[in-house]
mmCIF file of all heavy atoms in Angstrom:
data_model
loop_
_atom_site.group_PDB
_atom_site.id
_atom_site.type_symbol
_atom_site.label_atom_id
_atom_site.label_comp_id
_atom_site.label_asym_id
_atom_site.label_seq_id
_atom_site.Cartn_x
_atom_site.Cartn_y
_atom_site.Cartn_z
ATOM 1 N N GLY A 1 140.128 32.826 200.822
ATOM 2 C CA GLY A 1 141.103 31.910 200.237
ATOM 3 C C GLY A 1 142.414 32.559 199.842
ATOM 4 O O GLY A 1 143.328 31.860 199.375
ATOM 5 N N GLN A 2 142.533 33.885 200.007
ATOM 6 C CA GLN A 2 143.792 34.557 199.670
ATOM 7 C C GLN A 2 144.881 34.100 200.622
ATOM 8 O O GLN A 2 144.708 34.114 201.848
ATOM 9 C CB GLN A 2 143.620 36.070 199.748
ATOM 10 C CG GLN A 2 144.816 36.870 199.232
ATOM 11 C CD GLN A 2 144.542 38.378 199.242
ATOM 12 O OE1 GLN A 2 143.661 38.862 199.967
ATOM 13 N NE2 GLN A 2 145.287 39.116 198.435
ATOM 14 N N LEU A 3 146.014 33.693 200.082
ATOM 15 C CA LEU A 3 147.109 33.205 200.915
ATOM 16 C C LEU A 3 147.806 34.360 201.613
ATOM 17 O O LEU A 3 147.696 35.519 201.206
ATOM 18 C CB LEU A 3 148.108 32.426 200.059
ATOM 19 C CG LEU A 3 147.549 31.166 199.378
ATOM 20 C CD1 LEU A 3 148.586 30.569 198.428
ATOM 21 C CD2 LEU A 3 147.127 30.140 200.416
ATOM 22 N N GLU A 4 148.538 34.034 202.638
ATOM 23 C CA GLU A 4 149.235 35.059 203.408
ATOM 24 C C GLU A 4 150.192 35.858 202.531
ATOM 25 O O GLU A 4 150.410 37.055 202.755
ATOM 26 C CB GLU A 4 150.008 34.415 204.568
ATOM 27 C CG GLU A 4 150.622 35.405 205.530
ATOM 28 C CD GLU A 4 149.585 36.309 206.193
ATOM 29 O OE1 GLU A 4 148.451 35.842 206.449
ATOM 30 O OE2 GLU A 4 149.902 37.488 206.457
ATOM 31 N N CYS A 5 150.753 35.221 201.518
ATOM 32 C CA CYS A 5 151.681 35.903 200.621
ATOM 33 C C CYS A 5 150.977 36.944 199.748
ATOM 34 O O CYS A 5 151.622 37.839 199.205
ATOM 35 C CB CYS A 5 152.417 34.901 199.746
ATOM 36 S SG CYS A 5 151.331 33.963 198.627
ATOM 37 N N GLY A 6 149.656 36.790 199.580
ATOM 38 C CA GLY A 6 148.892 37.757 198.799
ATOM 39 C C GLY A 6 148.289 37.208 197.529
ATOM 40 O O GLY A 6 147.417 37.837 196.935
ATOM 41 N N GLY A 7 148.751 36.031 197.079
ATOM 42 C CA GLY A 7 148.209 35.438 195.861
ATOM 43 C C GLY A 7 147.270 34.287 196.168
ATOM 44 O O GLY A 7 146.820 34.110 197.303
ATOM 45 N N TRP A 8 146.977 33.499 195.143
ATOM 46 C CA TRP A 8 146.074 32.356 195.282
ATOM 47 C C TRP A 8 146.687 31.126 194.619
ATOM 48 O O TRP A 8 147.406 31.239 193.619
ATOM 49 C CB TRP A 8 144.725 32.630 194.610
ATOM 50 C CG TRP A 8 143.830 33.558 195.343
ATOM 51 C CD1 TRP A 8 142.831 33.234 196.215
ATOM 52 C CD2 TRP A 8 143.836 34.997 195.281
ATOM 53 N NE1 TRP A 8 142.212 34.369 196.706
ATOM 54 C CE2 TRP A 8 142.811 35.466 196.141
ATOM 55 C CE3 TRP A 8 144.609 35.922 194.580
ATOM 56 C CZ2 TRP A 8 142.549 36.819 196.308
ATOM 57 C CZ3 TRP A 8 144.360 37.270 194.750
ATOM 58 C CH2 TRP A 8 143.334 37.705 195.606
ATOM 59 N N ASN A 9 146.382 29.976 195.165
ATOM 60 C CA ASN A 9 146.676 28.716 194.501
ATOM 61 C C ASN A 9 145.575 28.461 193.466
ATOM 62 O O ASN A 9 144.615 29.225 193.361
ATOM 63 C CB ASN A 9 146.738 27.592 195.533
ATOM 64 C CG ASN A 9 147.237 26.282 194.960
ATOM 65 O OD1 ASN A 9 147.870 26.247 193.903
ATOM 66 N ND2 ASN A 9 146.954 25.198 195.638
ATOM 67 N N TYR A 10 145.675 27.380 192.712
ATOM 68 C CA TYR A 10 144.599 27.031 191.786
ATOM 69 C C TYR A 10 143.267 26.858 192.518
ATOM 70 O O TYR A 10 142.203 27.124 191.960
ATOM 71 C CB TYR A 10 144.892 25.696 191.088
ATOM 72 C CG TYR A 10 146.140 25.657 190.246
ATOM 73 C CD1 TYR A 10 147.258 24.932 190.659
ATOM 74 C CD2 TYR A 10 146.198 26.306 189.022
ATOM 75 C CE1 TYR A 10 148.392 24.851 189.878
ATOM 76 C CE2 TYR A 10 147.331 26.239 188.232
ATOM 77 C CZ TYR A 10 148.431 25.514 188.663
ATOM 78 O OH TYR A 10 149.561 25.441 187.889
ATOM 79 N N VAL A 11 143.346 26.414 193.762
ATOM 80 C CA VAL A 11 142.157 25.972 194.480
ATOM 81 C C VAL A 11 142.402 26.162 195.977
ATOM 82 O O VAL A 11 143.546 26.141 196.437
ATOM 83 C CB VAL A 11 141.863 24.483 194.156
ATOM 84 C CG1 VAL A 11 143.026 23.593 194.529
ATOM 85 C CG2 VAL A 11 140.575 23.999 194.785
ATOM 86 N N PHE A 12 141.336 26.391 196.731
ATOM 87 C CA PHE A 12 141.445 26.327 198.193
ATOM 88 C C PHE A 12 140.272 25.541 198.737
ATOM 89 O O PHE A 12 139.304 25.255 198.020
ATOM 90 C CB PHE A 12 141.561 27.717 198.833
ATOM 91 C CG PHE A 12 140.337 28.586 198.736
ATOM 92 C CD1 PHE A 12 139.302 28.477 199.672
ATOM 93 C CD2 PHE A 12 140.221 29.550 197.753
ATOM 94 C CE1 PHE A 12 138.176 29.293 199.609
ATOM 95 C CE2 PHE A 12 139.103 30.379 197.666
ATOM 96 C CZ PHE A 12 138.075 30.244 198.610
ATOM 97 N N ASP A 13 140.357 25.169 200.001
ATOM 98 C CA ASP A 13 139.372 24.279 200.600
ATOM 99 C C ASP A 13 138.894 24.892 201.914
ATOM 100 O O ASP A 13 139.685 25.134 202.828
ATOM 101 C CB ASP A 13 140.009 22.908 200.855
ATOM 102 C CG ASP A 13 138.995 21.837 201.196
ATOM 103 O OD1 ASP A 13 137.893 22.183 201.654
ATOM 104 O OD2 ASP A 13 139.313 20.647 201.013
ATOM 105 N N TYR A 14 137.586 25.151 201.975
ATOM 106 C CA TYR A 14 137.025 25.688 203.213
ATOM 107 C C TYR A 14 137.193 24.715 204.381
ATOM 108 O O TYR A 14 137.129 25.121 205.548
ATOM 109 C CB TYR A 14 135.539 25.992 203.024
ATOM 110 C CG TYR A 14 135.243 27.378 202.505
ATOM 111 C CD1 TYR A 14 134.592 27.563 201.294
ATOM 112 C CD2 TYR A 14 135.587 28.511 203.239
ATOM 113 C CE1 TYR A 14 134.293 28.826 200.823
ATOM 114 C CE2 TYR A 14 135.293 29.783 202.777
ATOM 115 C CZ TYR A 14 134.641 29.939 201.571
ATOM 116 O OH TYR A 14 134.353 31.198 201.116
ATOM 117 N N ALA A 15 137.400 23.428 204.091
ATOM 118 C CA ALA A 15 137.585 22.441 205.159
ATOM 119 C C ALA A 15 138.984 22.504 205.768
ATOM 120 O O ALA A 15 139.258 21.800 206.739
ATOM 121 C CB ALA A 15 137.312 21.038 204.629
ATOM 122 N N GLY A 16 139.863 23.320 205.212
ATOM 123 C CA GLY A 16 141.173 23.513 205.813
ATOM 124 C C GLY A 16 142.302 22.904 205.008
ATOM 125 O O GLY A 16 142.103 22.152 204.048
ATOM 126 N N GLU A 17 143.534 23.225 205.414
ATOM 127 C CA GLU A 17 144.716 22.804 204.661
ATOM 128 C C GLU A 17 144.910 21.289 204.686
ATOM 129 O O GLU A 17 145.349 20.702 203.691
ATOM 130 C CB GLU A 17 145.971 23.501 205.193
ATOM 131 C CG GLU A 17 147.190 23.279 204.303
ATOM 132 C CD GLU A 17 148.381 24.115 204.723
ATOM 133 O OE1 GLU A 17 148.430 24.533 205.892
ATOM 134 O OE2 GLU A 17 149.262 24.343 203.886
ATOM 135 N N ASN A 18 144.594 20.638 205.791
ATOM 136 C CA ASN A 18 144.750 19.180 205.830
ATOM 137 C C ASN A 18 143.843 18.507 204.806
ATOM 138 O O ASN A 18 144.239 17.527 204.151
ATOM 139 C CB ASN A 18 144.451 18.647 207.231
ATOM 140 C CG ASN A 18 145.553 18.971 208.220
ATOM 141 O OD1 ASN A 18 146.690 19.235 207.818
ATOM 142 N ND2 ASN A 18 145.230 18.966 209.504
ATOM 143 N N SER A 19 142.636 19.013 204.655
ATOM 144 C CA SER A 19 141.727 18.474 203.652
ATOM 145 C C SER A 19 142.273 18.703 202.250
ATOM 146 O O SER A 19 142.192 17.810 201.384
ATOM 147 C CB SER A 19 140.347 19.123 203.785
ATOM 148 O OG SER A 19 139.457 18.671 202.788
ATOM 149 N N LEU A 20 142.851 19.881 202.015
ATOM 150 C CA LEU A 20 143.424 20.175 200.703
ATOM 151 C C LEU A 20 144.627 19.271 200.426
ATOM 152 O O LEU A 20 144.786 18.743 199.316
ATOM 153 C CB LEU A 20 143.840 21.642 200.634
ATOM 154 C CG LEU A 20 144.386 22.132 199.286
ATOM 155 C CD1 LEU A 20 143.357 21.947 198.178
ATOM 156 C CD2 LEU A 20 144.815 23.593 199.383
ATOM 157 N N LYS A 21 145.478 19.073 201.421
ATOM 158 C CA LYS A 21 146.632 18.184 201.244
ATOM 159 C C LYS A 21 146.183 16.755 200.939
ATOM 160 O O LYS A 21 146.792 16.062 200.109
ATOM 161 C CB LYS A 21 147.505 18.201 202.498
ATOM 162 C CG LYS A 21 148.318 19.470 202.676
ATOM 163 C CD LYS A 21 149.160 19.385 203.940
ATOM 164 C CE LYS A 21 150.031 20.615 204.116
ATOM 165 N NZ LYS A 21 150.834 20.559 205.373
ATOM 166 N N GLN A 22 145.123 16.313 201.598
ATOM 167 C CA GLN A 22 144.613 14.966 201.348
ATOM 168 C C GLN A 22 144.131 14.846 199.916
ATOM 169 O O GLN A 22 144.321 13.811 199.264
ATOM 170 C CB GLN A 22 143.479 14.650 202.339
ATOM 171 C CG GLN A 22 142.975 13.218 202.307
ATOM 172 C CD GLN A 22 141.841 13.007 201.300
ATOM 173 O OE1 GLN A 22 141.162 13.948 200.914
ATOM 174 N NE2 GLN A 22 141.651 11.760 200.893
ATOM 175 N N TRP A 23 143.511 15.895 199.392
ATOM 176 C CA TRP A 23 143.084 15.895 197.988
ATOM 177 C C TRP A 23 144.290 15.814 197.057
ATOM 178 O O TRP A 23 144.284 15.051 196.091
ATOM 179 C CB TRP A 23 142.266 17.159 197.706
ATOM 180 C CG TRP A 23 141.790 17.271 196.293
ATOM 181 C CD1 TRP A 23 140.620 16.794 195.784
ATOM 182 C CD2 TRP A 23 142.479 17.904 195.200
ATOM 183 N NE1 TRP A 23 140.536 17.089 194.440
ATOM 184 C CE2 TRP A 23 141.660 17.761 194.058
ATOM 185 C CE3 TRP A 23 143.702 18.569 195.080
ATOM 186 C CZ2 TRP A 23 142.033 18.261 192.808
ATOM 187 C CZ3 TRP A 23 144.071 19.067 193.832
ATOM 188 C CH2 TRP A 23 143.241 18.913 192.725
ATOM 189 N N TYR A 24 145.322 16.593 197.353
ATOM 190 C CA TYR A 24 146.534 16.547 196.532
ATOM 191 C C TYR A 24 147.163 15.155 196.547
ATOM 192 O O TYR A 24 147.699 14.691 195.529
ATOM 193 C CB TYR A 24 147.549 17.579 197.023
ATOM 194 C CG TYR A 24 147.484 18.900 196.298
ATOM 195 C CD1 TYR A 24 146.662 19.928 196.751
ATOM 196 C CD2 TYR A 24 148.240 19.134 195.159
ATOM 197 C CE1 TYR A 24 146.605 21.149 196.089
ATOM 198 C CE2 TYR A 24 148.188 20.344 194.494
ATOM 199 C CZ TYR A 24 147.372 21.348 194.962
ATOM 200 O OH TYR A 24 147.307 22.555 194.296
ATOM 201 N N ASP A 25 147.119 14.476 197.679
ATOM 202 C CA ASP A 25 147.742 13.156 197.809
ATOM 203 C C ASP A 25 146.937 12.044 197.150
ATOM 204 O O ASP A 25 147.423 10.910 197.041
ATOM 205 C CB ASP A 25 147.946 12.815 199.288
ATOM 206 C CG ASP A 25 149.086 13.601 199.920
ATOM 207 O OD1 ASP A 25 149.948 14.089 199.160
ATOM 208 O OD2 ASP A 25 149.105 13.727 201.155
ATOM 209 N N THR A 26 145.711 12.341 196.731
ATOM 210 C CA THR A 26 144.867 11.313 196.121
ATOM 211 C C THR A 26 144.473 11.727 194.706
ATOM 212 O O THR A 26 145.090 11.314 193.739
ATOM 213 C CB THR A 26 143.616 11.058 196.992
ATOM 214 O OG1 THR A 26 142.954 12.312 197.248
ATOM 215 C CG2 THR A 26 143.998 10.414 198.314
ATOM 216 N N VAL A 27 143.451 12.566 194.596
ATOM 217 C CA VAL A 27 142.969 12.997 193.283
ATOM 218 C C VAL A 27 144.059 13.742 192.515
ATOM 219 O O VAL A 27 144.349 13.431 191.344
ATOM 220 C CB VAL A 27 141.717 13.885 193.431
ATOM 221 C CG1 VAL A 27 141.293 14.440 192.077
ATOM 222 C CG2 VAL A 27 140.580 13.095 194.051
ATOM 223 N N GLY A 28 144.679 14.733 193.137
ATOM 224 C CA GLY A 28 145.683 15.533 192.444
ATOM 225 C C GLY A 28 146.882 14.727 191.989
ATOM 226 O O GLY A 28 147.312 14.814 190.837
ATOM 227 N N LYS A 29 147.403 13.917 192.855
ATOM 228 C CA LYS A 29 148.621 13.159 192.577
ATOM 229 C C LYS A 29 148.437 12.165 191.441
ATOM 230 O O LYS A 29 149.396 11.824 190.741
ATOM 231 C CB LYS A 29 149.065 12.429 193.842
ATOM 232 C CG LYS A 29 150.411 11.737 193.738
ATOM 233 C CD LYS A 29 150.797 11.142 195.070
ATOM 234 C CE LYS A 29 152.160 10.475 194.996
ATOM 235 N NZ LYS A 29 152.546 9.892 196.316
ATOM 236 N N ASN A 30 147.224 11.673 191.236
ATOM 237 C CA ASN A 30 146.993 10.628 190.254
ATOM 238 C C ASN A 30 146.465 11.136 188.909
ATOM 239 O O ASN A 30 146.041 10.347 188.077
ATOM 240 C CB ASN A 30 146.041 9.576 190.837
ATOM 241 C CG ASN A 30 146.749 8.688 191.834
ATOM 242 O OD1 ASN A 30 147.358 7.693 191.471
ATOM 243 N ND2 ASN A 30 146.680 9.059 193.110
ATOM 244 N N GLY A 31 146.493 12.449 188.713
ATOM 245 C CA GLY A 31 146.143 12.999 187.411
ATOM 246 C C GLY A 31 147.353 12.927 186.493
ATOM 247 O O GLY A 31 148.254 13.766 186.575
ATOM 248 N N TRP A 32 147.370 11.938 185.613
ATOM 249 C CA TRP A 32 148.555 11.651 184.806
ATOM 250 C C TRP A 32 149.013 12.855 184.001
ATOM 251 O O TRP A 32 150.179 13.225 183.979
ATOM 252 C CB TRP A 32 148.240 10.454 183.902
ATOM 253 C CG TRP A 32 149.384 9.929 183.105
ATOM 254 C CD1 TRP A 32 150.722 10.182 183.300
ATOM 255 C CD2 TRP A 32 149.315 9.065 181.970
ATOM 256 N NE1 TRP A 32 151.482 9.525 182.374
ATOM 257 C CE2 TRP A 32 150.648 8.822 181.535
ATOM 258 C CE3 TRP A 32 148.267 8.463 181.282
ATOM 259 C CZ2 TRP A 32 150.948 8.013 180.446
ATOM 260 C CZ3 TRP A 32 148.565 7.642 180.199
ATOM 261 C CH2 TRP A 32 149.890 7.419 179.787
ATOM 262 N N ARG A 33 148.088 13.504 183.300
ATOM 263 C CA ARG A 33 148.474 14.605 182.425
ATOM 264 C C ARG A 33 148.445 15.962 183.106
ATOM 265 O O ARG A 33 148.811 16.968 182.496
ATOM 266 C CB ARG A 33 147.575 14.623 181.186
ATOM 267 C CG ARG A 33 146.119 14.972 181.445
ATOM 268 C CD ARG A 33 145.350 15.019 180.115
ATOM 269 N NE ARG A 33 143.924 15.203 180.273
ATOM 270 C CZ ARG A 33 143.328 16.379 180.436
ATOM 271 N NH1 ARG A 33 144.050 17.477 180.474
ATOM 272 N NH2 ARG A 33 142.012 16.443 180.565
ATOM 273 N N LEU A 34 148.037 16.038 184.368
ATOM 274 C CA LEU A 34 147.957 17.314 185.091
ATOM 275 C C LEU A 34 149.049 17.355 186.155
ATOM 276 O O LEU A 34 148.795 17.317 187.360
ATOM 277 C CB LEU A 34 146.566 17.485 185.704
ATOM 278 C CG LEU A 34 145.447 17.637 184.666
ATOM 279 C CD1 LEU A 34 144.080 17.544 185.315
ATOM 280 C CD2 LEU A 34 145.588 18.954 183.914
ATOM 281 N N GLU A 35 150.272 17.425 185.692
ATOM 282 C CA GLU A 35 151.417 17.313 186.592
ATOM 283 C C GLU A 35 151.503 18.461 187.587
ATOM 284 O O GLU A 35 152.135 18.330 188.635
ATOM 285 C CB GLU A 35 152.706 17.229 185.762
ATOM 286 C CG GLU A 35 152.794 15.955 184.948
ATOM 287 C CD GLU A 35 154.026 15.889 184.060
ATOM 288 O OE1 GLU A 35 154.815 16.866 184.059
ATOM 289 O OE2 GLU A 35 154.196 14.884 183.365
ATOM 290 N N GLU A 36 150.869 19.590 187.269
ATOM 291 C CA GLU A 36 150.897 20.723 188.198
ATOM 292 C C GLU A 36 150.150 20.432 189.492
ATOM 293 O O GLU A 36 150.315 21.166 190.490
ATOM 294 C CB GLU A 36 150.332 21.979 187.531
ATOM 295 C CG GLU A 36 148.877 21.879 187.102
ATOM 296 C CD GLU A 36 148.685 21.359 185.701
ATOM 297 O OE1 GLU A 36 149.452 20.479 185.263
ATOM 298 O OE2 GLU A 36 147.752 21.831 185.013
ATOM 299 N N PHE A 37 149.326 19.379 189.511
ATOM 300 C CA PHE A 37 148.603 19.006 190.729
ATOM 301 C C PHE A 37 149.232 17.800 191.435
ATOM 302 O O PHE A 37 148.676 17.301 192.407
ATOM 303 C CB PHE A 37 147.138 18.683 190.394
ATOM 304 C CG PHE A 37 146.354 19.876 189.935
ATOM 305 C CD1 PHE A 37 146.034 20.049 188.600
ATOM 306 C CD2 PHE A 37 145.938 20.844 190.837
ATOM 307 C CE1 PHE A 37 145.310 21.149 188.169
ATOM 308 C CE2 PHE A 37 145.219 21.950 190.415
ATOM 309 C CZ PHE A 37 144.903 22.106 189.081
ATOM 310 N N ARG A 38 150.383 17.374 190.981
ATOM 311 C CA ARG A 38 151.010 16.190 191.553
ATOM 312 C C ARG A 38 151.809 16.505 192.822
ATOM 313 O O ARG A 38 152.286 15.595 193.484
ATOM 314 C CB ARG A 38 151.939 15.546 190.510
ATOM 315 C CG ARG A 38 151.227 15.134 189.223
ATOM 316 C CD ARG A 38 150.866 13.692 189.185
ATOM 317 N NE ARG A 38 152.019 12.849 189.042
ATOM 318 C CZ ARG A 38 152.574 12.505 187.879
ATOM 319 N NH1 ARG A 38 152.067 12.988 186.752
ATOM 320 N NH2 ARG A 38 153.597 11.704 187.842
ATOM 321 N N HIS A 39 151.963 17.789 193.111
ATOM 322 C CA HIS A 39 152.763 18.190 194.273
ATOM 323 C C HIS A 39 152.106 19.395 194.941
ATOM 324 O O HIS A 39 151.729 20.357 194.274
ATOM 325 C CB HIS A 39 154.186 18.542 193.829
ATOM 326 C CG HIS A 39 155.068 19.048 194.931
ATOM 327 N ND1 HIS A 39 155.496 18.260 195.970
ATOM 328 C CD2 HIS A 39 155.597 20.276 195.155
ATOM 329 C CE1 HIS A 39 156.260 18.964 196.777
ATOM 330 N NE2 HIS A 39 156.333 20.198 196.315
ATOM 331 N N TYR A 40 151.972 19.332 196.256
ATOM 332 C CA TYR A 40 151.383 20.455 197.009
ATOM 333 C C TYR A 40 152.499 21.384 197.463
ATOM 334 O O TYR A 40 153.300 21.055 198.324
ATOM 335 C CB TYR A 40 150.608 19.930 198.212
ATOM 336 C CG TYR A 40 150.024 21.046 199.072
ATOM 337 C CD1 TYR A 40 148.973 21.819 198.609
ATOM 338 C CD2 TYR A 40 150.540 21.323 200.335
ATOM 339 C CE1 TYR A 40 148.443 22.842 199.375
ATOM 340 C CE2 TYR A 40 150.013 22.346 201.114
ATOM 341 C CZ TYR A 40 148.975 23.106 200.626
ATOM 342 O OH TYR A 40 148.454 24.126 201.390
ATOM 343 N N TYR A 41 152.556 22.571 196.865
ATOM 344 C CA TYR A 41 153.590 23.546 197.205
ATOM 345 C C TYR A 41 153.218 24.379 198.431
ATOM 346 O O TYR A 41 154.092 24.793 199.195
ATOM 347 C CB TYR A 41 153.820 24.498 196.030
ATOM 348 C CG TYR A 41 154.634 23.939 194.892
ATOM 349 C CD1 TYR A 41 154.016 23.384 193.783
ATOM 350 C CD2 TYR A 41 156.020 23.994 194.912
ATOM 351 C CE1 TYR A 41 154.756 22.889 192.723
ATOM 352 C CE2 TYR A 41 156.776 23.504 193.861
ATOM 353 C CZ TYR A 41 156.143 22.952 192.769
ATOM 354 O OH TYR A 41 156.889 22.465 191.719
ATOM 355 N N GLY A 42 151.947 24.705 198.572
ATOM 356 C CA GLY A 42 151.531 25.578 199.659
ATOM 357 C C GLY A 42 151.734 27.050 199.364
ATOM 358 O O GLY A 42 151.546 27.891 200.251
ATOM 359 N N ASN A 43 152.104 27.387 198.118
ATOM 360 C CA ASN A 43 152.279 28.798 197.758
ATOM 361 C C ASN A 43 151.282 29.174 196.664
ATOM 362 O O ASN A 43 150.370 28.420 196.352
ATOM 363 C CB ASN A 43 153.724 29.067 197.324
ATOM 364 C CG ASN A 43 154.145 28.239 196.114
ATOM 365 O OD1 ASN A 43 153.357 27.452 195.578
ATOM 366 N ND2 ASN A 43 155.392 28.393 195.688
ATOM 367 N N ALA A 44 151.441 30.353 196.091
ATOM 368 C CA ALA A 44 150.491 30.869 195.101
ATOM 369 C C ALA A 44 151.018 30.646 193.688
ATOM 370 O O ALA A 44 152.221 30.473 193.478
ATOM 371 C CB ALA A 44 150.233 32.351 195.336
ATOM 372 N N THR A 45 150.116 30.668 192.716
ATOM 373 C CA THR A 45 150.494 30.472 191.324
ATOM 374 C C THR A 45 149.940 31.580 190.436
ATOM 375 O O THR A 45 148.851 32.106 190.676
ATOM 376 C CB THR A 45 150.009 29.102 190.811
ATOM 377 O OG1 THR A 45 150.444 28.939 189.460
ATOM 378 C CG2 THR A 45 148.485 28.985 190.862
ATOM 379 N N TYR A 46 150.727 31.923 189.408
ATOM 380 C CA TYR A 46 150.260 32.823 188.353
ATOM 381 C C TYR A 46 149.696 32.044 187.173
ATOM 382 O O TYR A 46 149.160 32.641 186.230
ATOM 383 C CB TYR A 46 151.421 33.688 187.842
ATOM 384 C CG TYR A 46 151.841 34.800 188.769
ATOM 385 C CD1 TYR A 46 153.121 34.841 189.315
ATOM 386 C CD2 TYR A 46 150.964 35.831 189.079
ATOM 387 C CE1 TYR A 46 153.528 35.880 190.141
ATOM 388 C CE2 TYR A 46 151.349 36.875 189.906
ATOM 389 C CZ TYR A 46 152.641 36.897 190.435
ATOM 390 O OH TYR A 46 153.024 37.926 191.252
#
């Protein structure tokens, strides 16, 4: 799950990036108080 840049996102998906993006567009996007999951950046986080 290590990204090409060398870091990690909060989460990765063994089913692939399209599956992860679909999660961000549904579950992640609709978390009212968890705004950090409302947008898929595709990069790593500290």
Side-chain angles (χ1 to χ4, degrees):
Q2 188 176 21
L3 298 173
E4 187 60 34
C5 63
W8 285 265
N9 188 19
Y10 299 109
V11 59
F12 68 85
D13 192 337
Y14 271 119
E17 190 172 22
N18 287 339
S19 177
L20 184 59
K21 286 181 178 178
Q22 187 271 338
W23 179 90
Y24 266 90
D25 286 339
T26 53
V27 175
K29 187 176 182 180
N30 284 274
W32 186 16
R33 67 177 174 84
L34 294 169
E35 294 177 359
E36 62 270 36
F37 293 105
R38 301 262 289 273
H39 176 68
Y40 177 70
Y41 283 96
N43 60 0
T45 182
Y46 285 118

